Amino acid sequence: SIALGTVDITYSKIAKMLFPAGLPDDHDTQDNALQGYIKIARGYAVRLIHRDDIEQTSSLCLNGFACFEAPMRAGTRRVIQELKNANFNVCVLTGDEITTSLALAAKAGVTFGNNPYFLKVSPSGSMLEWEINGMKMPFTLDAALKIHQAIERNDGVVVFSGDAVSLLLSDDKNDEISQYVRSVILPEAQVVAGSSPHQKYLFLRWLQNECRKRVLMCGDGVNDIAAMRESFVSVAMLSGFVNEFSYDGGDSIDTGELRRKERLKKWCIGSNRMLSTNLAPSSIEGAGIGNSAVASIARIRVKVINGLNDIDRTTKSNPNLGVLMSIIRSAIGEEISRYKELKKGGSGAANILAEEERLKESIISATHISPNVPRSDTNDITTGEACLASRFTLLRPCISGVESILRAGIA
């Protein structure tokens, strides 16, 4: 059956337009046959169906528009620029449609120029075609050579649709033009838009297996998990929104960069190495923050003291040796579990690190280090599905921190 919202249009004029031979039966829905029907229906929809056909078929009425804004994080462009300065190739791999993807890629600094060379699947669903500034061009070797020359001159952006990538990487495409685009132009892709989870996975696998590239994949949702599991390094972002504060002019502040500079100042690194500080790293470790032996002992000590205080409040008597040893064993066991959770990664590790980060910031705030650095409100931040598949999890819902992983040589 076919539904438009809550309206069944299985036997409507629209269904007959999309599936002139009738709807696929149960046998045709096996494997990739259904995808073929859907691609053909898309072609019919582009050529035959007008907006009036939809509105006249449905009993739904347009009452207005709801607009939602998800502004780009202030640190995104800085992180992208640092990666590009380090000679990393950056590609936007997204399920968003082409116009939105290009606009975001340009705003983030991934792409430059106003000439997108877009390779997409034709309305028939079986052919590839180029689209340049709204003009369609045939999928020929001559066109591909000209596009590659333009890209080498930095006179344009190469963009692929997810459907085009999956068709280009299929076993059916072994002709000269497909091989040329696959080997020369596709590795230079800066945006792959409209990608399904499986198409993201195919593209990542091809980059690593055929192009011999080591890929770092950063994502936040369930749509990214398949590609992240295939990537050489995977980084998950937390889900949600934070208040990053704004200047009077309305531009958001790159709080991640400000915090990094504050850490350099606090630890007397770089140009701050001659400065003194009132907060030594040992006080952070003494509060049980970090993975050093000092921090581990501090966490165990706190758990033992809290256990003894609980016994004192409830029994009003001194614990015997057996009870004391039980409290110590429990504290050591929790510390071992913490170590295993961090080693495993995922949402559990992210929660541990996030809690330590909040404790660390409270200690820094108590010692009035840099009161002018704004703090983020993390009440609405949660671990996303991508944490289940990632090797690293960032502590904020943005890519700020990816450059730190690479800078430290962890990846």
Side-chain angles (χ1 to χ4, degrees):
S1 63
I2 302 177
L4 180 63
T6 59
V7 180
D8 188 349
I9 61 169
T10 303
Y11 303 102
S12 67
K13 181 177 69 173
I14 292 179
K16 293 178 180 178
M17 288 182 179
L18 297 178
F19 300 95
L23 293 176
D25 55 27
D26 293 339
H27 176 73
D28 291 329
T29 59
Q30 302 298 320
D31 300 325
N32 295 324
L34 181 60
Q35 296 300 321
Y37 276 94
I38 292 175
K39 287 184 179 180
I40 294 174
R42 285 178 181 170
Y44 285 128
V46 171
R47 296 197 307 271
L48 302 177
I49 296 180
H50 189 268
R51 172 178 171 178
D52 291 340
D53 298 320
I54 303 294
E55 295 181 347
Q56 291 171 5
T57 301
S58 174
S59 60
L60 303 178
C61 297
L62 175 65
N63 291 324
F65 294 97
C67 300
F68 302 91
E69 182 184 13
M72 184 176 293
R73 302 294 170 189
T76 300
R77 192 177 182 90
R78 169 185 58 81
V79 174
I80 296 297
Q81 190 57 50
E82 286 194 35
L83 296 177
K84 296 176 78 171
N85 289 343
N87 293 324
F88 287 100
N89 294 327
V90 181
C91 176
V92 176
L93 181 59
T94 176
D96 292 338
E97 57 92 26
I98 178 63
T99 305
T100 302
S101 303
L102 275 174
L104 291 176
K107 188 174 182 179
V110 176
T111 63
F112 297 96
N114 299 318
N115 299 319
Y117 298 98
F118 181 32
L119 183 66
K120 63 178 184 177
V121 177
S122 64
S124 66
S126 59
M127 302 290 291
L128 293 169
E129 63 182 16
W130 294 102
E131 183 176 311
I132 304 172
N133 294 326
M135 301 294 293
K136 295 181 180 179
M137 291 180 58
F139 186 66
T140 62
L141 184 58
D142 182 58
L145 290 171
K146 292 180 179 179
I147 290 171
H148 184 239
Q149 291 172 0
I151 294 170
E152 287 189 324
R153 298 194 304 267
N154 293 323
D155 187 25
V157 180
V158 59
V159 184
F160 290 79
S161 70
D163 289 340
V165 169
S166 59
L167 183 58
L168 193 63
L169 298 181
S170 65
D171 296 334
D172 299 333
K173 291 293 181 180
N174 291 319
D175 54 284
E176 183 182 8
I177 172 60
S178 297
Q179 291 180 4
Y180 178 81
V181 172
R182 194 162 52 228
S183 61
V184 177
I185 299 181
L186 184 56
E188 302 297 326
Q190 294 171 287
V191 178
V192 179
S195 303
S196 67
H198 183 65
Q199 289 164 349
K200 293 179 182 180
Y201 164 79
L202 288 177
F203 184 59
L204 260 292
R205 186 180 65 178
W206 174 80
L207 282 176
Q208 297 198 142
N209 295 344
E210 301 298 327
C211 299
R212 302 298 180 185
K213 293 181 180 291
R214 292 188 173 185
V215 181
L216 183 149
M217 171 75 178
C218 187
D220 66 344
V222 67
N223 290 341
D224 302 315
I225 288 180
M228 292 176 69
R229 290 179 64 87
E230 182 68 18
S231 62
F232 185 74
V233 178
S234 54
V235 180
M237 296 179 289
L238 299 188
S239 298
F241 296 91
V242 296
N243 176 20
E244 292 290 352
F245 295 85
S246 296
Y247 290 114
D248 293 337
D251 294 327
S252 56
I253 303 173
D254 187 356
T255 55
E257 178 68 0
L258 292 178
R259 291 190 188 93
R260 187 180 72 86
K261 291 180 178 179
E262 279 304 306
R263 287 195 295 271
L264 296 181
K265 182 188 296 184
K266 177 170 66 70
W267 292 330
C268 302
I269 296 175
S271 60
N272 305 293
R273 59 185 177 274
M274 300 303 294
L275 300 177
S276 61
T277 177
N278 295 324
L279 183 63
S282 58
S283 62
I284 295 291
E285 295 173 340
I289 300 173
N291 297 318
S292 66
V294 174
S296 181
I297 293 173
R299 284 190 293 269
I300 293 174
R301 183 189 300 116
V302 169
K303 290 183 175 67
V304 171
I305 292 174
N306 290 338
L308 293 175
N309 290 336
D310 290 341
I311 292 176
D312 184 59
R313 283 194 300 270
T314 56
T315 64
K316 303 297 183 180
S317 62
N318 294 326
N320 56 41
L321 181 60
V323 173
L324 178 60
M325 293 302 296
S326 177
I327 294 174
I328 294 175
R329 281 196 300 270
S330 176
I332 294 175
E334 290 181 24
E335 186 64 21
I336 293 174
S337 298
R338 176 189 180 277
Y339 169 78
K340 291 180 178 178
E341 196 71 33
L342 290 175
K343 188 175 181 180
K344 182 175 67 175
S347 59
N351 290 331
I352 292 173
L353 295 175
E355 181 62 31
E356 289 193 357
E357 182 71 12
R358 286 192 289 269
L359 177 58
K360 183 177 178 180
E361 288 192 359
S362 67
I363 295 174
I364 294 175
S365 299
T367 54
H368 52 77
I369 287 185
S370 188
N372 296 323
V373 177
R375 306 291 173 184
S376 294
D377 181 8
T378 58
N379 292 334
D380 297 328
I381 305 303
T382 58
T383 54
E385 297 91 342
C387 295
L388 301 174
S390 64
R391 293 173 174 84
F392 298 93
T393 298
L394 303 176
L395 297 180
R396 295 178 182 87
C398 59
I399 64 171
S400 181
V402 170
E403 80 285 11
S404 299
I405 295 174
L406 298 174
R407 190 187 296 121
I410 297 175

